[in-house]
């Protein structure tokens, strides 16, 4: 199953072009998420939604978290979007759980996904250690400070900043271009020193690659790590464009290496949340279990759907969740 | 990585070896952690091993900030949980901490593997990365709520 997941991750660009259209699935998933969210807590935009849970047994919240993240997992794989980036804004919007615990759980969800997919990506030579380690060191160091800042700020400020970040991510997802094989004519001196280059095989062909703009790449990863730690987001949405478009790694190498970098960045941020008491098993375990099961189902759904349509649903949801977070932050 | 010691081919081969070691260990540790997390969580919520705090006490407080939650539940931050491993909720938390520590364990394996194969620059990067992990996990970075 993990092999299928890895294959799905690395082949998303092709799949998105090749798969057949499936309107019923689009409506099923989008409707399921909307109805599910409303059924759980009433109108999610109703400020009394949190109070509405009073009187429900304790297991209701973890169970609903499991069910909800299960669907999120399906959608995440099918849309080619990381679970963490979906989890934080949507759960923070729809569930009566403080954003501190949602961010802690979001990091663990993203970390579990990365640890599950990582071994296969490494074995296949797609995740590259020499490319990953310098970038991960920059991102994971700044993630500590991002996490500390995030936990120190008032929840309203975090909500507004998170909402704004999510709206920006929506535009990145909509507008970011990808390049299968960027043209890197000459590696820079740091890339040369670190020997950041490689070869991978696909369809019987050998693809040699090298990178450039190492310093700008490292600076961007410092920013990405800070945001990942502050908001508890998996950072695949930012890692991939930087690796692919700035450093010039081929798309498949960028996608796979991003997963590996994420496993290191989220480790440092997660430990800050752990030691600050912002990780609770009753939130984290159902979320991780639901997301991982959903991801496995999502791989199968992907074969029968048009990911482009699902991606539109996800982007719409992210936009709504981002807007909701901003409104929440302003107390509206 | 000492470029004078290794040819491109040797360096590629050495990296493949290190990658294989890392991937194998990552696979085993993450599977073990995830299985332990689910089992220990079920033990906690089923009441087989009661928690320091019952789930019904925890859930209503999840809408509070982490600092208020800690204050109201009387639970502690940092590493004090290691003294309460006889409780179901702490064991479940320990499994989550194990998953969060998988990469730290992996760097204990990775670092000497780099040096052994004369990939010295990467060996040093791995040393610094390990120290960053330790700093994050130590809880020493001040601040918070």
């Amino acid at each position: 199953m993990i092999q299928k997941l890895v294959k799905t991750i690395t082949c998303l660009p092709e799949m998105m072009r090749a798969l057949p259209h499936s309107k019923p699935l689009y409506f099923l998933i989008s409707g399921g998420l909307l109805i599910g969210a409303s059924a759980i807590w009433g109108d999610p935009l109703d400020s009394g939604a949190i109070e509405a849970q009073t009187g429900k047994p304790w297991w209701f919240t973890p169970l609903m978290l499991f069910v909800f993240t299960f669907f999120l997992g399906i959608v995440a794989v099918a849309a080619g979007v990381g679970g963490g980036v979906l989890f934080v804004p949507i759960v923070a919007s729809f569930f009566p759980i403080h954003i501190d615990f949602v961010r802690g759980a979001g990091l663990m969800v993203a970390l579990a996904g990365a640890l599950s997919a990582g071994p296969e990506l490494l074995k296949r030579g797609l995740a590259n250690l020499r490319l990953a380690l310098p970038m991960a060191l920059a991102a994971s160091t700044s993630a500590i400070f991002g996490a500390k800042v995030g936990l120190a700020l008032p929840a309203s400020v975090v909500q507004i900043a998170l909402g704004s970040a999510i709206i920006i991510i929506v535009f990145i997802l909509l507008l970011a271009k990808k390049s299968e094989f960027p043209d890197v004519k000459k590696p820079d001196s740091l890339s040369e020193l670190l020997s950041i280059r490689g070869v991978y095989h696909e369809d019987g062909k050998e693809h040699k690659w090298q990178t450039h703009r190492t310093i700008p790449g490292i600076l961007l990863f410092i920013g990405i790590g800070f945001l990942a730690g502050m908001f508890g987001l998996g950072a695949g949405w930012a890692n991939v464009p930087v690796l692919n478009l700035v450093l010039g790694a081929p798309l498949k190498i960028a996608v796979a290496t991003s997963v590996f970098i994420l496993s290191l960045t989220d480790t440092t941020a997660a430990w800050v949340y752990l030691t600050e008491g912002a990780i609770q098993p009753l939130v984290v375990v159902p979320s991780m279990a639901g997301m991982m099961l959903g991801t496995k189902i999502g791989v199968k759904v992907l074969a029968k759907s048009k990911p482009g349509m699902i991606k539109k649903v996800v982007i719409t949801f992210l936009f709504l969740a981002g807007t909701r977070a901003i409104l929440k932050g302003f107390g509206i | 990585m000492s470029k004078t010691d290794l040819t491109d081919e040797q360096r590629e081969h050495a990296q493949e070896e290190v990658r294989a070691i890392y991937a194998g260990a990552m696979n085993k540790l993450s599977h073990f952690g995830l299985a332990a997390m689910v089992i220990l969580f079920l033990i906690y919520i089923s009441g087989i091993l009661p928690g320091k705090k019952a789930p019904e006490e925890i859930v209503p407080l999840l809408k509070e900030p982490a600092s208020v939650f800690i204050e109201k539940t009387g639970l502690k931050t940092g590493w004090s949980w290691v003294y309460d491993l006889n409780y179901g909720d702490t064991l479940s938390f320990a499994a989550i901490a194990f998953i969060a520590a998988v990469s730290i364990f992996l760097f204990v394996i990775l670092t000497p593997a780099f040096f052994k194969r004369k990939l010295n620059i990467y060996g040093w990067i791995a040393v610094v990365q390990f120290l960053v992990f330790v700093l994050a996990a130590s809880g020493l970075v001040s601040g918070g709520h």
Side-chain angles (χ1 to χ4, degrees):
Chain A
M1 183 54 72
I2 288 171
Q3 282 178 337
K4 282 184 185 174
L5 176 60
V6 169
K7 196 175 176 188
T8 302
I9 291 169
T10 54
C11 295
L12 272 170
E14 289 93 321
M15 287 180 168
M16 289 177 79
R17 285 192 293 271
L19 289 171
H21 176 81
S22 176
K23 237 177 187 174
L25 190 76
Y26 161 75
F27 288 114
L28 180 73
I29 292 176
S30 57
L33 280 171
L34 276 170
I35 293 165
S38 303
I40 293 165
W41 310 118
D43 177 5
L45 295 177
D46 173 10
S47 59
I50 289 176
E51 287 73 21
Q53 69 154 332
T54 311
K56 290 191 172 71
W58 70 265
W59 46 262
F60 188 76
T61 299
L63 180 65
M64 287 302 107
L65 209 46
F66 175 79
V67 172
F68 199 79
T69 51
F70 173 77
F71 282 106
L72 274 188
I74 295 175
V75 172
V77 169
V81 178
V85 75
L86 287 176
F87 178 88
V88 175
I90 295 178
V91 173
S93 293
F94 294 145
F95 279 75
I97 299 171
H98 193 272
I99 196 162
D100 285 355
F101 300 109
V102 177
R103 285 180 292 168
L107 284 167
M108 291 306 301
V109 164
L111 180 58
L115 289 173
S116 299
E120 189 60 28
L121 293 169
L122 281 164
K123 278 182 198 162
R124 289 174 58 185
L126 292 173
N128 188 280
L129 287 177
R130 286 181 301 207
L131 175 59
L133 288 182
M135 306 303 147
L137 180 58
S140 59
T141 306
S142 60
I144 296 176
F145 297 99
K148 295 302 294 187
V149 170
L151 284 169
L153 288 172
S156 58
V157 176
V158 174
Q159 289 278 11
I160 294 167
L162 172 67
S164 308
I166 293 297
I167 302 288
I168 292 168
I169 290 169
V170 164
F171 283 102
I172 290 174
L173 290 173
L174 282 172
L175 303 174
K177 291 183 169 45
K178 289 170 182 167
S179 173
E180 291 285 340
F181 299 103
D183 184 24
V184 178
K185 289 190 170 62
K186 192 174 178 287
D188 63 283
S189 52
L190 185 54
S191 168
E192 188 73 27
L193 176 73
L194 295 169
S195 304
I196 305 178
R197 55 180 174 267
V199 177
Y200 81 96
H201 300 87
E202 189 183 52
D203 303 330
K205 286 181 189 170
E206 186 180 87
H207 300 281
K208 286 189 177 179
W209 60 271
Q210 56 189 4
T211 59
H212 57 179
R213 304 184 197 124
T214 310
I215 297 287
I218 287 173
L219 292 174
L220 285 166
F221 271 101
I222 289 173
I224 293 170
F226 189 87
L227 291 177
M230 186 168 175
F231 298 128
L233 302 172
W237 56 272
N239 289 348
V240 175
V242 172
L243 291 168
N244 181 227
L245 301 175
V246 178
L247 290 159
L251 184 56
K252 286 194 174 179
I253 298 291
V255 171
T257 304
S258 160
V259 173
F260 182 74
I261 293 173
L262 201 150
S263 74
L264 306 184
T265 308
D266 286 4
T267 291
T268 53
W271 271 104
V272 176
Y273 282 80
L274 270 163
T275 54
E276 293 275 348
I279 285 187
Q280 283 302 315
L282 286 164
V283 181
V284 171
V285 180
S287 304
M288 279 169 73
M291 189 68 84
M292 295 198 78
L293 276 178
T295 301
K296 291 186 177 198
I297 303 294
V299 174
K300 290 182 179 170
V301 170
L302 185 64
K304 297 173 185 169
S305 67
K306 187 178 180 187
M309 290 298 286
I310 298 172
K311 191 168 183 175
K312 283 178 192 166
V313 178
V314 168
I315 287 175
T316 306
F317 258 87
L318 273 177
F319 185 80
L320 289 173
T323 309
R324 165 72 178 141
I326 293 171
L327 292 174
K328 230 176 161 180
F330 282 113
I332 301 169
Chain B
M1 194 175 313
S2 174
K3 294 179 64 147
T4 51
D5 291 343
L6 296 175
T7 64
D8 256 12
E9 199 175 314
Q10 286 171 321
R11 196 161 37 240
E12 197 63 40
H13 180 66
Q15 195 206 220
E16 269 175 33
E17 284 181 348
V18 174
R19 201 163 53 199
I21 293 167
Y22 193 94
M26 190 186 216
N27 196 30
K28 285 177 190 157
L29 289 172
S30 56
H31 275 91
F32 172 78
L34 289 169
M37 183 192 75
V38 172
I39 292 167
L40 292 171
F41 183 72
L42 292 175
I43 288 173
Y44 166 47
I45 60 168
S46 65
I48 294 171
L49 185 62
K52 202 171 180 186
K53 289 284 167 188
E56 52 267 39
E57 292 176 83
I58 299 280
V59 170
L61 294 172
L62 289 173
K63 59 178 184 286
E64 304 285 358
S67 56
V68 177
F69 173 89
I70 292 294
E71 197 183 309
K72 288 190 177 176
T73 54
L75 296 172
K76 292 190 172 65
T77 55
W79 280 83
S80 53
W81 55 270
V82 295
Y83 300 108
D84 293 324
L85 289 174
N86 50 332
Y87 293 104
D89 50 353
T90 316
L91 270 181
S92 188
F93 183 85
I96 295 170
F98 180 87
I99 293 169
V102 164
S103 292
I104 306 178
F105 299 141
L106 291 172
F107 269 69
V108 174
I109 300 167
L110 183 70
T111 307
F114 273 135
F115 283 120
K116 192 177 168 188
R117 287 163 183 80
K118 296 182 179 175
L119 299 168
N120 293 332
I121 287 183
Y122 281 89
W124 287 112
I125 291 176
V127 169
V128 178
Q129 179 69 70
F130 179 76
L131 293 174
V132 169
F133 285 148
V134 172
L135 176 70
S138 68
L140 288 174
V141 188
S142 62
H145 292 272

Short mmCIF file of all heavy atoms in Angstrom, two decimals, chain B residues 30-68:
data_model
loop_
_atom_site.label_atom_id
_atom_site.label_comp_id
_atom_site.label_asym_id
_atom_site.label_seq_id
_atom_site.Cartn_x
_atom_site.Cartn_y
_atom_site.Cartn_z
N SER B 30 9.02 3.49 12.27
CA SER B 30 7.73 4.17 12.12
C SER B 30 6.57 3.18 12.22
O SER B 30 5.54 3.49 12.82
CB SER B 30 7.66 4.97 10.81
OG SER B 30 7.91 4.15 9.72
N HIS B 31 6.73 1.99 11.67
CA HIS B 31 5.66 0.98 11.79
C HIS B 31 5.46 0.59 13.25
O HIS B 31 4.33 0.47 13.72
CB HIS B 31 5.99 -0.26 10.95
CG HIS B 31 5.57 -0.13 9.53
ND1 HIS B 31 6.41 0.37 8.55
CD2 HIS B 31 4.39 -0.36 8.91
CE1 HIS B 31 5.76 0.40 7.40
NE2 HIS B 31 4.53 -0.03 7.59
N PHE B 32 6.58 0.38 13.95
CA PHE B 32 6.48 0.03 15.37
C PHE B 32 5.78 1.14 16.15
O PHE B 32 4.87 0.89 16.95
CB PHE B 32 7.89 -0.21 15.95
CG PHE B 32 7.90 -0.41 17.44
CD1 PHE B 32 7.51 -1.62 17.99
CD2 PHE B 32 8.26 0.63 18.29
CE1 PHE B 32 7.49 -1.80 19.37
CE2 PHE B 32 8.25 0.46 19.67
CZ PHE B 32 7.86 -0.76 20.21
N GLY B 33 6.17 2.38 15.90
CA GLY B 33 5.58 3.52 16.62
C GLY B 33 4.09 3.66 16.36
O GLY B 33 3.32 3.87 17.30
N LEU B 34 3.69 3.52 15.10
CA LEU B 34 2.27 3.68 14.78
C LEU B 34 1.43 2.56 15.39
O LEU B 34 0.35 2.81 15.92
CB LEU B 34 2.08 3.72 13.25
CG LEU B 34 2.61 4.99 12.57
CD1 LEU B 34 2.64 4.85 11.07
CD2 LEU B 34 1.77 6.21 12.95
N ALA B 35 1.95 1.33 15.34
CA ALA B 35 1.22 0.20 15.93
C ALA B 35 1.10 0.39 17.44
O ALA B 35 0.02 0.22 18.02
CB ALA B 35 1.94 -1.11 15.60
N ALA B 36 2.20 0.79 18.08
CA ALA B 36 2.19 1.00 19.53
C ALA B 36 1.22 2.11 19.90
O ALA B 36 0.48 2.01 20.89
CB ALA B 36 3.60 1.35 20.01
N MET B 37 1.18 3.15 19.08
CA MET B 37 0.31 4.29 19.37
C MET B 37 -1.16 3.87 19.38
O MET B 37 -1.91 4.20 20.31
CB MET B 37 0.52 5.38 18.32
CG MET B 37 -0.29 6.63 18.55
SD MET B 37 -0.26 7.73 17.12
CE MET B 37 -1.36 6.88 16.00
N VAL B 38 -1.56 3.11 18.38
CA VAL B 38 -2.97 2.68 18.29
C VAL B 38 -3.31 1.73 19.44
O VAL B 38 -4.33 1.89 20.12
CB VAL B 38 -3.25 2.02 16.91
CG1 VAL B 38 -4.63 1.41 16.88
CG2 VAL B 38 -3.10 3.05 15.80
N ILE B 39 -2.43 0.76 19.70
CA ILE B 39 -2.71 -0.23 20.76
C ILE B 39 -2.79 0.46 22.12
O ILE B 39 -3.74 0.23 22.89
CB ILE B 39 -1.61 -1.33 20.76
CG1 ILE B 39 -1.73 -2.16 19.49
CG2 ILE B 39 -1.73 -2.22 22.00
CD1 ILE B 39 -0.53 -3.06 19.21
N LEU B 40 -1.83 1.31 22.42
CA LEU B 40 -1.82 1.96 23.74
C LEU B 40 -3.00 2.93 23.90
O LEU B 40 -3.54 3.07 25.00
CB LEU B 40 -0.48 2.69 23.96
CG LEU B 40 0.72 1.75 24.10
CD1 LEU B 40 2.02 2.53 24.09
CD2 LEU B 40 0.61 0.90 25.36
N PHE B 41 -3.40 3.54 22.80
CA PHE B 41 -4.57 4.44 22.86
C PHE B 41 -5.83 3.63 23.18
O PHE B 41 -6.65 4.05 24.01
CB PHE B 41 -4.73 5.17 21.53
CG PHE B 41 -5.85 6.17 21.51
CD1 PHE B 41 -5.76 7.36 22.21
CD2 PHE B 41 -7.02 5.92 20.79
CE1 PHE B 41 -6.80 8.29 22.20
CE2 PHE B 41 -8.07 6.83 20.77
CZ PHE B 41 -7.96 8.02 21.47
N LEU B 42 -5.98 2.47 22.53
CA LEU B 42 -7.15 1.62 22.79
C LEU B 42 -7.15 1.14 24.24
O LEU B 42 -8.20 1.06 24.88
CB LEU B 42 -7.19 0.44 21.81
CG LEU B 42 -7.45 0.82 20.34
CD1 LEU B 42 -7.35 -0.40 19.44
CD2 LEU B 42 -8.82 1.48 20.19
N ILE B 43 -5.96 0.82 24.75
CA ILE B 43 -5.85 0.40 26.16
C ILE B 43 -6.30 1.53 27.09
O ILE B 43 -7.00 1.29 28.07
CB ILE B 43 -4.39 -0.04 26.47
CG1 ILE B 43 -4.10 -1.38 25.78
CG2 ILE B 43 -4.14 -0.15 27.97
CD1 ILE B 43 -2.66 -1.83 25.88
N TYR B 44 -5.94 2.74 26.72
CA TYR B 44 -6.33 3.91 27.53
C TYR B 44 -7.84 4.16 27.48
O TYR B 44 -8.51 4.22 28.52
CB TYR B 44 -5.55 5.14 27.05
CG TYR B 44 -6.05 6.48 27.54
CD1 TYR B 44 -6.36 6.69 28.89
CD2 TYR B 44 -6.22 7.54 26.64
CE1 TYR B 44 -6.81 7.93 29.33
CE2 TYR B 44 -6.68 8.78 27.08
CZ TYR B 44 -6.98 8.97 28.42
OH TYR B 44 -7.43 10.19 28.85
N ILE B 45 -8.39 4.28 26.28
CA ILE B 45 -9.81 4.68 26.20
C ILE B 45 -10.75 3.55 26.61
O ILE B 45 -11.88 3.80 27.00
CB ILE B 45 -10.20 5.23 24.80
CG1 ILE B 45 -9.97 4.19 23.71
CG2 ILE B 45 -9.45 6.52 24.49
CD1 ILE B 45 -10.61 4.57 22.38
N SER B 46 -10.27 2.29 26.53
CA SER B 46 -11.12 1.18 26.96
C SER B 46 -11.14 1.06 28.48
O SER B 46 -11.97 0.35 29.04
CB SER B 46 -10.62 -0.13 26.34
OG SER B 46 -9.32 -0.41 26.87
N GLY B 47 -10.21 1.74 29.14
CA GLY B 47 -10.17 1.69 30.60
C GLY B 47 -9.38 0.52 31.15
O GLY B 47 -9.33 0.30 32.36
N ILE B 48 -8.77 -0.27 30.25
CA ILE B 48 -7.95 -1.41 30.72
C ILE B 48 -6.84 -0.89 31.63
O ILE B 48 -6.58 -1.45 32.68
CB ILE B 48 -7.36 -2.19 29.51
CG1 ILE B 48 -8.48 -2.84 28.71
CG2 ILE B 48 -6.34 -3.24 29.98
CD1 ILE B 48 -8.05 -3.46 27.39
N LEU B 49 -6.20 0.17 31.20
CA LEU B 49 -5.22 0.84 32.05
C LEU B 49 -5.68 2.30 32.19
O LEU B 49 -5.51 3.09 31.28
CB LEU B 49 -3.83 0.78 31.42
CG LEU B 49 -2.68 1.35 32.27
CD1 LEU B 49 -2.53 0.58 33.57
CD2 LEU B 49 -1.37 1.32 31.49
N PRO B 50 -6.28 2.65 33.30
CA PRO B 50 -6.84 4.00 33.45
C PRO B 50 -5.77 5.08 33.31
O PRO B 50 -4.59 4.86 33.63
CB PRO B 50 -7.40 3.99 34.88
CG PRO B 50 -7.54 2.57 35.24
CD PRO B 50 -6.47 1.83 34.50
N GLY B 51 -6.22 6.23 32.84
CA GLY B 51 -5.30 7.36 32.67
C GLY B 51 -5.17 8.18 33.95
O GLY B 51 -5.97 8.02 34.88
N LYS B 52 -4.17 9.04 33.97
CA LYS B 52 -4.02 9.96 35.09
C LYS B 52 -5.24 10.89 35.11
O LYS B 52 -5.71 11.30 36.16
CB LYS B 52 -2.73 10.79 34.90
CG LYS B 52 -2.19 11.36 36.17
CD LYS B 52 -0.82 11.97 35.95
CE LYS B 52 -0.32 12.55 37.28
NZ LYS B 52 0.93 13.28 37.11
N LYS B 53 -5.70 11.21 33.90
CA LYS B 53 -6.94 11.95 33.74
C LYS B 53 -7.86 11.14 32.83
O LYS B 53 -7.42 10.64 31.79
CB LYS B 53 -6.68 13.33 33.10
CG LYS B 53 -5.99 14.31 34.02
CD LYS B 53 -6.95 14.87 35.04
CE LYS B 53 -6.20 15.59 36.15
NZ LYS B 53 -7.08 15.98 37.26
N ALA B 54 -9.12 11.03 33.22
CA ALA B 54 -10.07 10.27 32.39
C ALA B 54 -10.40 11.07 31.13
O ALA B 54 -10.39 12.31 31.17
CB ALA B 54 -11.33 10.00 33.19
N PRO B 55 -10.73 10.37 30.03
CA PRO B 55 -11.07 11.09 28.79
C PRO B 55 -12.19 12.11 28.98
O PRO B 55 -12.15 13.18 28.39
CB PRO B 55 -11.50 9.97 27.84
CG PRO B 55 -10.87 8.75 28.37
CD PRO B 55 -10.76 8.92 29.85
N GLU B 56 -13.18 11.77 29.83
CA GLU B 56 -14.30 12.71 30.02
C GLU B 56 -13.88 14.01 30.72
O GLU B 56 -14.56 15.02 30.62
CB GLU B 56 -15.48 12.05 30.75
CG GLU B 56 -15.13 11.36 32.05
CD GLU B 56 -14.83 9.88 31.88
OE1 GLU B 56 -14.18 9.52 30.86
OE2 GLU B 56 -15.21 9.10 32.76
N GLU B 57 -12.74 13.96 31.41
CA GLU B 57 -12.22 15.19 32.02
C GLU B 57 -11.42 16.01 30.99
O GLU B 57 -11.35 17.23 31.08
CB GLU B 57 -11.28 14.86 33.19
CG GLU B 57 -11.96 14.24 34.41
CD GLU B 57 -10.93 13.87 35.46
OE1 GLU B 57 -10.53 14.76 36.22
OE2 GLU B 57 -10.51 12.70 35.49
N ILE B 58 -10.78 15.28 30.07
CA ILE B 58 -9.90 15.93 29.09
C ILE B 58 -10.69 16.65 27.99
O ILE B 58 -10.42 17.82 27.68
CB ILE B 58 -8.96 14.88 28.43
CG1 ILE B 58 -8.07 14.22 29.48
CG2 ILE B 58 -8.15 15.50 27.29
CD1 ILE B 58 -6.88 14.98 29.92
N VAL B 59 -11.66 15.94 27.40
CA VAL B 59 -12.32 16.44 26.18
C VAL B 59 -12.93 17.83 26.34
O VAL B 59 -12.71 18.71 25.48
CB VAL B 59 -13.36 15.41 25.67
CG1 VAL B 59 -14.22 16.00 24.55
CG2 VAL B 59 -12.64 14.17 25.15
N PRO B 60 -13.68 18.12 27.42
CA PRO B 60 -14.27 19.48 27.51
C PRO B 60 -13.23 20.59 27.59
O PRO B 60 -13.52 21.73 27.26
CB PRO B 60 -15.09 19.42 28.80
CG PRO B 60 -15.25 17.99 29.13
CD PRO B 60 -14.06 17.29 28.56
N LEU B 61 -12.02 20.22 28.04
CA LEU B 61 -10.98 21.25 28.21
C LEU B 61 -10.14 21.47 26.94
O LEU B 61 -9.28 22.35 26.91
CB LEU B 61 -10.05 20.88 29.37
CG LEU B 61 -10.71 20.89 30.76
CD1 LEU B 61 -9.76 20.31 31.81
CD2 LEU B 61 -11.13 22.29 31.15
N LEU B 62 -10.41 20.68 25.90
CA LEU B 62 -9.61 20.81 24.68
C LEU B 62 -9.87 22.12 23.95
O LEU B 62 -9.12 22.49 23.06
CB LEU B 62 -9.89 19.64 23.73
CG LEU B 62 -9.33 18.28 24.18
CD1 LEU B 62 -9.80 17.17 23.25
CD2 LEU B 62 -7.80 18.31 24.23
N LYS B 63 -10.95 22.81 24.31
CA LYS B 63 -11.20 24.09 23.64
C LYS B 63 -10.43 25.23 24.30
O LYS B 63 -10.45 26.37 23.81
CB LYS B 63 -12.69 24.40 23.58
CG LYS B 63 -13.41 24.49 24.90
CD LYS B 63 -14.87 24.85 24.64
CE LYS B 63 -15.65 25.06 25.92
NZ LYS B 63 -15.94 23.78 26.60
N GLU B 64 -9.73 24.92 25.37
CA GLU B 64 -8.90 25.93 26.05
C GLU B 64 -7.50 25.96 25.44
O GLU B 64 -7.04 24.96 24.90
CB GLU B 64 -8.76 25.57 27.55
CG GLU B 64 -10.07 25.41 28.29
CD GLU B 64 -10.75 26.73 28.59
OE1 GLU B 64 -10.17 27.78 28.25
OE2 GLU B 64 -11.87 26.71 29.14
N PRO B 65 -6.79 27.09 25.56
CA PRO B 65 -5.38 27.10 25.13
C PRO B 65 -4.57 26.07 25.91
O PRO B 65 -4.96 25.71 27.04
CB PRO B 65 -4.91 28.52 25.48
CG PRO B 65 -6.15 29.32 25.67
CD PRO B 65 -7.22 28.38 26.11
N ALA B 66 -3.47 25.61 25.33
CA ALA B 66 -2.67 24.56 25.97
C ALA B 66 -2.26 24.95 27.38
O ALA B 66 -2.29 24.12 28.30
CB ALA B 66 -1.44 24.25 25.12
N SER B 67 -1.91 26.22 27.59
CA SER B 67 -1.45 26.65 28.92
C SER B 67 -2.57 26.54 29.96
O SER B 67 -2.35 26.09 31.09
CB SER B 67 -0.93 28.09 28.85
OG SER B 67 -1.93 28.94 28.34
N VAL B 68 -3.78 26.93 29.55
CA VAL B 68 -4.94 26.85 30.46
C VAL B 68 -5.30 25.39 30.70
O VAL B 68 -5.61 24.98 31.83
CB VAL B 68 -6.15 27.63 29.87
CG1 VAL B 68 -7.37 27.49 30.77
CG2 VAL B 68 -5.79 29.08 29.66
#
